[in-house]
Amino acid sequence: MKTVQVDVAVIGAGTAGLGAYHAAIAAGARTAIIEGGDYGTTCARVGCMPSKLLIAAAESAHAVRKSSGFGIHVEGIIRVDGHEVMARIRRERDRFVGFVQREMRVIPDEDRIRGHARFLNDHTIAVSDHIRLTAGSIVIATGSSATYPDSSEALGDRMIVSDDVFDWLDLPKAVAVIGPGSVGLELGQALHRLGVRVVVFGRGGGVGPISDPEIRSYAIAAFNEEFTLESDTHIETMLRDGDRVVIRRMGANGSRETDSFDYVLAATGRIPNVTGIDLNQTTLRLDAKGVPLFDPATTRTMSTDGESTIFIAGDASNFIPLLHEAIDEGGIAGKNAALLALGKPVNPGLRRVPLGVVFTDPQIGIVGGGFHEMKAGTFATGQVNFENQGRARILLKNKGLLNVYGDLMTGRFLGAEMLAPAAEHLAHLLSWALQNNMTITQMLEMPFYHPVIEEGLRTALQNLEIKLYQMREKPRRSGRG
């Protein structure tokens, strides 16, 4: 077994791993990056990019069907060629993956190690039984994997996860989506708009990351106008029948229905890839799911003796599994791992306010911790409904609801939840305001052009400012007797 010694070892060459490697090198540490699978990030291969390619095709088809609302009529049948749709997705997906692979080739050969890594102790890694690597500090950036339900074995290749969709050569006729989370909603709506019969099933009434009851109720109604979303249903059986799956379920109203589909798409989340790297050989403290406990500010993990020499970043940490967070965490982890290995103190990195976007139509946006982070009696809510908002009506995108939250005592902006047109842009504006600790008054002093979707945001902020004033004045008036 070959022996290698470095300052920093990075396990995983995805988004977080590459960020960690480059940060460690920039900090002056001798660094090795280890990858046991194919090069190419989750985002490029099976996540952000191919899913948005599918959504872009779906939006194009939807726009053609909606054109009559502008007085533009398309004669004849609109034909979606599934082979061409999927060919473009695979072609562009492979192009994005190629960018990542080229980035890997820039890394010197001596820094790149191929093989499956497993811990021997807190400072030593075995790589596929041919390399023994010792490092002053280690970064875990092993990513995550889509989960299969217990019924997957019985359904064989008729049970798929989101990763499998992007290898299709053609579009199926009918798909059942299990899980109305971000991935389930995005893929479910996109497939529906491309002519696939889709039913999205959930339990408990949840819809994506939405926690505000008003926004959630609006979203359920809005999505059901387009495709079937059963956000609270009980699936009794899923049985393979030839090349189809028969699903028998009980709805919220107690009715039983039976339906069949070409595929069942399990969109039930992803799990960190931490089970196969022998964390039991380390002194790390693990949570109930086997993920190391860590400090999000420094990404440093915790050991039974206190602070560890191991860091964790990206989806492997199960903290905020989003690409922009993986980039940040990778940079923080790599720099701190290098500092520690070189005998210098570890420092907190920049952690931005939470920002989440779901690319449905209307889009979902969550800024800050969302509604569930709010404490009753400490905040007020401002709202705008986009059904009569000027720019939204011009675009025939006039569907959506936005709630913004403000602190009763300080008037400071606290966060927002929305199902809205252009939520990806509204959420960015609001996240910047939140990170800069702006008050509602300060936000309203910013420019708003006309006519734009952002004018709807101004309406919500104006509504919130009035409510904050009224709620602060009410105790004063009642105190006067």
Side-chain angles (χ1 to χ4, degrees):
M1 180 177 287
K2 181 182 177 181
T3 300
V4 176
Q5 187 162 357
V6 294
D7 297 318
V8 176
V10 179
I11 307 175
T15 300
L18 286 169
Y21 169 81
H22 290 299
I25 289 290
R30 166 75 195 283
T31 307
I33 185 166
I34 307 161
E35 178 56 66
D38 295 327
Y39 289 132
T41 65
T42 296
C43 172
R45 283 189 179 280
V46 295
C48 325
M49 305 313 285
S51 67
K52 303 311 169 287
L53 287 163
L54 184 73
I55 291 168
E59 288 178 343
S60 178
H62 186 67
V64 175
R65 295 190 187 99
K66 294 277 287 183
S67 65
S68 61
F70 297 98
I72 301 169
H73 300 277
V74 179
E75 302 297 333
I77 298 173
I78 299 170
R79 184 175 66 89
V80 175
D81 189 315
H83 284 95
E84 292 184 18
V85 169
M86 297 311 301
R88 178 178 185 265
I89 289 170
R90 294 193 309 277
R91 183 172 63 251
E92 289 298 312
R93 181 267 316 270
D94 292 346
R95 184 169 175 267
F96 289 126
V97 171
F99 294 151
V100 181
Q101 291 173 334
R102 283 199 289 276
E103 184 179 352
M104 285 300 305
R105 288 195 288 272
V106 173
I107 296 174
D109 291 344
E110 61 269 21
D111 290 356
R112 283 186 280 133
I113 299 176
R114 298 288 287 162
H116 175 73
R118 56 186 178 85
F119 281 93
L120 300 179
N121 55 55
D122 286 13
H123 290 279
T124 311
I125 300 168
V127 183
S128 296
D129 297 324
H130 67 276
I131 292 177
R132 183 185 178 95
L133 186 148
T134 301
S137 55
I138 298 170
V139 177
I140 301 171
T142 46
S144 64
S145 300
T147 57
Y148 284 89
D150 296 337
S151 55
S152 62
E153 193 170 327
L155 299 182
D157 62 359
R158 299 295 98 180
M159 171 70 78
I160 61 171
V161 293
S162 57
D163 299 20
D164 303 315
V165 169
F166 310 116
D167 285 325
W168 280 345
L169 299 180
D170 196 0
L171 292 167
K173 290 184 170 59
V175 173
V177 179
I178 309 298
S182 301
V183 172
L185 288 174
E186 286 185 353
L187 297 185
Q189 185 181 49
L191 290 172
H192 163 79
R193 290 183 169 186
L194 290 168
V196 180
R197 184 172 64 85
V198 171
V199 179
V200 180
F201 298 110
R203 288 301 304 272
V207 180
I210 300 170
S211 64
D212 189 310
E214 282 188 290
I215 307 295
R216 183 168 56 236
S217 296
Y218 191 103
I220 291 171
F223 289 133
N224 267 300
E225 290 177 8
E226 185 177 349
F227 59 93
T228 302
L229 168 59
E230 298 184 8
S231 62
D232 189 15
T233 191
H234 174 61
I235 295 177
E236 296 181 329
T237 58
M238 287 196 296
L239 301 173
R240 176 85 179 245
D241 182 14
D243 285 337
R244 293 179 71 78
V245 176
V246 177
I247 295 179
R248 187 169 185 262
R249 80 258 194 190
M250 179 183 290
N253 61 0
S255 63
R256 281 188 169 87
E257 293 186 39
T258 301
D259 205 347
S260 64
F261 302 89
D262 297 308
Y263 291 99
V264 175
L265 168 57
T268 50
R270 301 180 70 87
I271 57 173
N273 294 329
V274 294
T275 57
I277 57 176
D278 289 355
L279 291 178
N280 59 305
Q281 298 299 316
T282 70
T283 63
L284 295 183
R285 293 171 56 196
L286 309 179
D287 66 15
K289 296 181 179 179
V291 179
L293 301 178
F294 77 109
D295 176 5
T298 63
T299 73
R300 190 175 187 177
T301 61
M302 303 176 189
S303 74
T304 54
D305 301 324
E307 292 181 314
S308 169
T309 56
I310 299 171
F311 298 78
I312 190 166
D315 287 8
S317 72
N318 204 33
F319 182 53
I320 306 177
L322 298 170
L323 177 121
H324 61 276
E325 297 288 348
I327 293 172
D328 285 350
E329 288 180 2
I332 296 168
K335 181 178 181 179
N336 278 333
L339 290 173
L340 187 65
L342 298 174
K344 300 176 182 178
V346 167
N347 299 312
L350 171 64
R351 298 312 304 254
R352 305 167 214 267
V353 301
L355 167 64
V357 176
V358 182
F359 291 85
T360 49
D361 180 21
Q363 295 176 338
I364 297 169
I366 310 292
V367 178
F371 179 82
H372 77 275
E373 289 287 316
M374 302 296 110
K375 295 180 181 179
T378 67
F379 73 101
T381 302
Q383 185 177 96
V384 63
N385 187 309
F386 284 92
E387 291 170 12
N388 288 310
Q389 199 272 333
R391 180 64 173 170
R393 289 195 69 85
I394 289 170
L395 298 172
L396 283 181
K397 294 279 189 180
N398 54 315
K399 187 182 294 183
L401 195 66
L402 162 65
N403 280 354
V404 289
Y405 315 117
D407 185 84
L408 284 177
M409 296 295 294
T410 64
R412 190 171 63 85
F413 175 60
L414 297 176
E417 291 201 18
M418 70 195 81
L419 179 85
E424 59 184 293
H425 305 300
L426 297 175
H428 271 90
L429 288 178
L430 290 172
S431 68
W432 292 4
L434 182 59
Q435 187 153 317
N436 280 287
N437 294 308
M438 294 178 72
T439 64
I440 305 304
T441 300
Q442 288 172 329
M443 293 167 71
L444 284 168
E445 290 171 352
M446 296 296 104
F448 290 85
Y449 201 77
H450 173 78
V452 292
I453 294 291
E454 286 76 5
E455 287 179 298
L457 168 59
R458 181 175 61 186
T459 299
L461 293 171
Q462 288 170 335
N463 179 245
L464 176 54
E465 186 176 49
I466 291 169
K467 286 186 176 180
L468 288 171
Y469 174 78
Q470 291 173 338
M471 293 175 76
R472 282 196 298 263
E473 286 296 306
K474 186 175 180 180
R476 297 180 190 177
R477 289 195 299 268
S478 61
R480 295 192 185 104

Short mmCIF file of all heavy atoms in Angstrom, two decimals, residues 108-134:
data_model
loop_
_atom_site.label_atom_id
_atom_site.label_comp_id
_atom_site.label_asym_id
_atom_site.label_seq_id
_atom_site.Cartn_x
_atom_site.Cartn_y
_atom_site.Cartn_z
N PRO A 108 -3.36 19.33 -10.53
CA PRO A 108 -2.19 18.48 -10.79
C PRO A 108 -2.47 17.00 -10.50
O PRO A 108 -3.20 16.67 -9.56
CB PRO A 108 -1.13 19.04 -9.84
CG PRO A 108 -1.55 20.45 -9.59
CD PRO A 108 -3.04 20.44 -9.61
N ASP A 109 -1.88 16.13 -11.31
CA ASP A 109 -2.11 14.69 -11.16
C ASP A 109 -1.79 14.19 -9.76
O ASP A 109 -2.49 13.33 -9.21
CB ASP A 109 -1.26 13.91 -12.18
CG ASP A 109 -1.74 14.12 -13.61
OD1 ASP A 109 -2.88 14.60 -13.77
OD2 ASP A 109 -0.97 13.81 -14.53
N GLU A 110 -0.73 14.75 -9.16
CA GLU A 110 -0.33 14.25 -7.85
C GLU A 110 -1.32 14.63 -6.75
O GLU A 110 -1.30 14.04 -5.65
CB GLU A 110 1.07 14.78 -7.48
CG GLU A 110 1.19 16.29 -7.39
CD GLU A 110 1.59 16.93 -8.70
OE1 GLU A 110 1.39 16.30 -9.76
OE2 GLU A 110 2.11 18.07 -8.66
N ASP A 111 -2.19 15.61 -7.03
CA ASP A 111 -3.19 16.01 -6.03
C ASP A 111 -4.50 15.24 -6.18
O ASP A 111 -5.35 15.29 -5.29
CB ASP A 111 -3.50 17.51 -6.15
CG ASP A 111 -2.33 18.39 -5.70
OD1 ASP A 111 -1.33 17.82 -5.24
OD2 ASP A 111 -2.45 19.62 -5.82
N ARG A 112 -4.67 14.58 -7.33
CA ARG A 112 -5.92 13.85 -7.59
C ARG A 112 -5.74 12.37 -7.28
O ARG A 112 -4.86 11.72 -7.83
CB ARG A 112 -6.35 14.02 -9.04
CG ARG A 112 -6.98 15.36 -9.35
CD ARG A 112 -7.50 15.41 -10.77
NE ARG A 112 -6.43 15.66 -11.73
CZ ARG A 112 -6.25 14.98 -12.85
NH1 ARG A 112 -7.03 13.96 -13.14
NH2 ARG A 112 -5.27 15.30 -13.67
N ILE A 113 -6.61 11.86 -6.41
CA ILE A 113 -6.54 10.44 -6.04
C ILE A 113 -7.88 9.80 -6.36
O ILE A 113 -8.93 10.27 -5.93
CB ILE A 113 -6.21 10.27 -4.54
CG1 ILE A 113 -4.85 10.90 -4.23
CG2 ILE A 113 -6.24 8.80 -4.15
CD1 ILE A 113 -4.47 10.86 -2.77
N ARG A 114 -7.85 8.71 -7.13
CA ARG A 114 -9.06 8.00 -7.50
C ARG A 114 -9.26 6.80 -6.59
O ARG A 114 -8.32 6.05 -6.30
CB ARG A 114 -8.98 7.51 -8.94
CG ARG A 114 -8.85 8.63 -9.96
CD ARG A 114 -10.14 9.40 -10.12
NE ARG A 114 -11.14 8.64 -10.84
CZ ARG A 114 -12.44 8.89 -10.83
NH1 ARG A 114 -12.92 9.87 -10.08
NH2 ARG A 114 -13.28 8.17 -11.55
N GLY A 115 -10.51 6.63 -6.13
CA GLY A 115 -10.81 5.46 -5.30
C GLY A 115 -11.76 5.81 -4.17
O GLY A 115 -12.00 6.99 -3.86
N HIS A 116 -12.29 4.78 -3.54
CA HIS A 116 -13.23 4.97 -2.44
C HIS A 116 -12.46 5.19 -1.14
O HIS A 116 -11.59 4.39 -0.77
CB HIS A 116 -14.13 3.73 -2.30
CG HIS A 116 -15.03 3.80 -1.12
ND1 HIS A 116 -16.12 4.64 -1.08
CD2 HIS A 116 -15.01 3.15 0.08
CE1 HIS A 116 -16.74 4.50 0.09
NE2 HIS A 116 -16.08 3.60 0.80
N ALA A 117 -12.79 6.27 -0.45
CA ALA A 117 -12.09 6.63 0.79
C ALA A 117 -12.85 6.12 2.00
O ALA A 117 -14.08 6.17 2.05
CB ALA A 117 -11.92 8.14 0.88
N ARG A 118 -12.09 5.64 2.98
CA ARG A 118 -12.70 5.27 4.27
C ARG A 118 -11.70 5.61 5.37
O ARG A 118 -10.47 5.51 5.20
CB ARG A 118 -13.07 3.79 4.31
CG ARG A 118 -11.94 2.84 4.03
CD ARG A 118 -12.40 1.40 3.94
NE ARG A 118 -11.29 0.51 3.63
CZ ARG A 118 -10.47 0.00 4.53
NH1 ARG A 118 -10.63 0.29 5.82
NH2 ARG A 118 -9.48 -0.80 4.17
N PHE A 119 -12.26 6.04 6.49
CA PHE A 119 -11.41 6.46 7.61
C PHE A 119 -10.80 5.27 8.32
O PHE A 119 -11.47 4.25 8.55
CB PHE A 119 -12.24 7.27 8.61
CG PHE A 119 -12.47 8.70 8.20
CD1 PHE A 119 -13.60 9.06 7.50
CD2 PHE A 119 -11.55 9.68 8.53
CE1 PHE A 119 -13.83 10.37 7.13
CE2 PHE A 119 -11.75 11.01 8.17
CZ PHE A 119 -12.90 11.35 7.46
N LEU A 120 -9.53 5.40 8.69
CA LEU A 120 -8.86 4.46 9.60
C LEU A 120 -8.78 5.08 10.99
O LEU A 120 -8.83 4.38 11.99
CB LEU A 120 -7.47 4.12 9.08
CG LEU A 120 -7.42 3.45 7.69
CD1 LEU A 120 -5.96 3.20 7.28
CD2 LEU A 120 -8.21 2.14 7.68
N ASN A 121 -8.62 6.40 11.03
CA ASN A 121 -8.68 7.17 12.28
C ASN A 121 -8.89 8.63 11.90
O ASN A 121 -9.12 8.95 10.72
CB ASN A 121 -7.44 6.97 13.15
CG ASN A 121 -6.15 7.28 12.41
OD1 ASN A 121 -5.99 8.37 11.87
ND2 ASN A 121 -5.22 6.32 12.37
N ASP A 122 -8.79 9.53 12.85
CA ASP A 122 -9.08 10.94 12.58
C ASP A 122 -8.12 11.60 11.60
O ASP A 122 -8.43 12.66 11.04
CB ASP A 122 -9.06 11.74 13.89
CG ASP A 122 -10.29 11.49 14.74
OD1 ASP A 122 -11.03 10.53 14.45
OD2 ASP A 122 -10.51 12.25 15.70
N HIS A 123 -6.96 11.01 11.39
CA HIS A 123 -5.95 11.61 10.51
C HIS A 123 -5.55 10.71 9.34
O HIS A 123 -4.73 11.13 8.51
CB HIS A 123 -4.69 11.97 11.30
CG HIS A 123 -4.88 13.11 12.24
ND1 HIS A 123 -4.83 14.43 11.85
CD2 HIS A 123 -5.13 13.13 13.58
CE1 HIS A 123 -5.04 15.21 12.90
NE2 HIS A 123 -5.21 14.45 13.96
N THR A 124 -6.13 9.52 9.25
CA THR A 124 -5.67 8.56 8.25
C THR A 124 -6.83 8.02 7.44
O THR A 124 -7.88 7.66 7.98
CB THR A 124 -4.92 7.39 8.90
OG1 THR A 124 -3.94 7.92 9.81
CG2 THR A 124 -4.24 6.54 7.87
N ILE A 125 -6.63 7.95 6.12
CA ILE A 125 -7.65 7.46 5.18
C ILE A 125 -7.04 6.37 4.32
O ILE A 125 -5.91 6.49 3.84
CB ILE A 125 -8.14 8.60 4.25
CG1 ILE A 125 -8.75 9.74 5.06
CG2 ILE A 125 -9.14 8.08 3.23
CD1 ILE A 125 -8.98 10.99 4.23
N ALA A 126 -7.80 5.30 4.15
CA ALA A 126 -7.42 4.28 3.17
C ALA A 126 -8.24 4.53 1.90
O ALA A 126 -9.46 4.74 1.98
CB ALA A 126 -7.71 2.88 3.70
N VAL A 127 -7.58 4.52 0.74
CA VAL A 127 -8.26 4.76 -0.53
C VAL A 127 -8.21 3.48 -1.35
O VAL A 127 -7.15 3.10 -1.87
CB VAL A 127 -7.63 5.92 -1.31
CG1 VAL A 127 -8.42 6.19 -2.58
CG2 VAL A 127 -7.55 7.17 -0.45
N SER A 128 -9.36 2.79 -1.40
CA SER A 128 -9.51 1.56 -2.19
C SER A 128 -8.39 0.56 -1.94
O SER A 128 -7.96 -0.16 -2.86
CB SER A 128 -9.61 1.89 -3.68
OG SER A 128 -10.76 2.64 -3.94
N ASP A 129 -7.87 0.52 -0.73
CA ASP A 129 -6.86 -0.47 -0.31
C ASP A 129 -5.55 -0.39 -1.09
O ASP A 129 -4.75 -1.33 -1.06
CB ASP A 129 -7.43 -1.89 -0.40
CG ASP A 129 -8.61 -2.10 0.54
OD1 ASP A 129 -8.58 -1.53 1.65
OD2 ASP A 129 -9.55 -2.81 0.16
N HIS A 130 -5.33 0.73 -1.82
CA HIS A 130 -4.04 0.85 -2.51
C HIS A 130 -3.25 2.08 -2.06
O HIS A 130 -2.08 2.22 -2.40
CB HIS A 130 -4.22 0.87 -4.03
CG HIS A 130 -4.93 2.08 -4.56
ND1 HIS A 130 -6.30 2.18 -4.59
CD2 HIS A 130 -4.45 3.25 -5.08
CE1 HIS A 130 -6.64 3.35 -5.12
NE2 HIS A 130 -5.54 4.01 -5.41
N ILE A 131 -3.92 2.98 -1.31
CA ILE A 131 -3.23 4.17 -0.80
C ILE A 131 -3.60 4.36 0.66
O ILE A 131 -4.76 4.25 1.04
CB ILE A 131 -3.60 5.44 -1.60
CG1 ILE A 131 -3.02 5.36 -3.02
CG2 ILE A 131 -3.10 6.70 -0.90
CD1 ILE A 131 -3.40 6.54 -3.90
N ARG A 132 -2.60 4.66 1.46
CA ARG A 132 -2.82 5.05 2.86
C ARG A 132 -2.39 6.50 2.97
O ARG A 132 -1.23 6.84 2.78
CB ARG A 132 -1.99 4.16 3.79
CG ARG A 132 -2.20 4.44 5.29
CD ARG A 132 -1.25 3.59 6.11
NE ARG A 132 -1.39 3.84 7.53
CZ ARG A 132 -2.15 3.12 8.35
NH1 ARG A 132 -2.85 2.10 7.87
NH2 ARG A 132 -2.21 3.40 9.63
N LEU A 133 -3.37 7.37 3.25
CA LEU A 133 -3.14 8.81 3.22
C LEU A 133 -3.28 9.38 4.62
O LEU A 133 -4.28 9.14 5.30
CB LEU A 133 -4.13 9.48 2.26
CG LEU A 133 -3.95 10.98 1.98
CD1 LEU A 133 -4.40 11.30 0.57
CD2 LEU A 133 -4.75 11.81 2.97
N THR A 134 -2.26 10.12 5.06
CA THR A 134 -2.28 10.79 6.36
C THR A 134 -2.35 12.29 6.14
O THR A 134 -1.63 12.83 5.29
CB THR A 134 -1.03 10.43 7.17
OG1 THR A 134 -0.96 9.02 7.34
CG2 THR A 134 -1.07 11.10 8.53
#
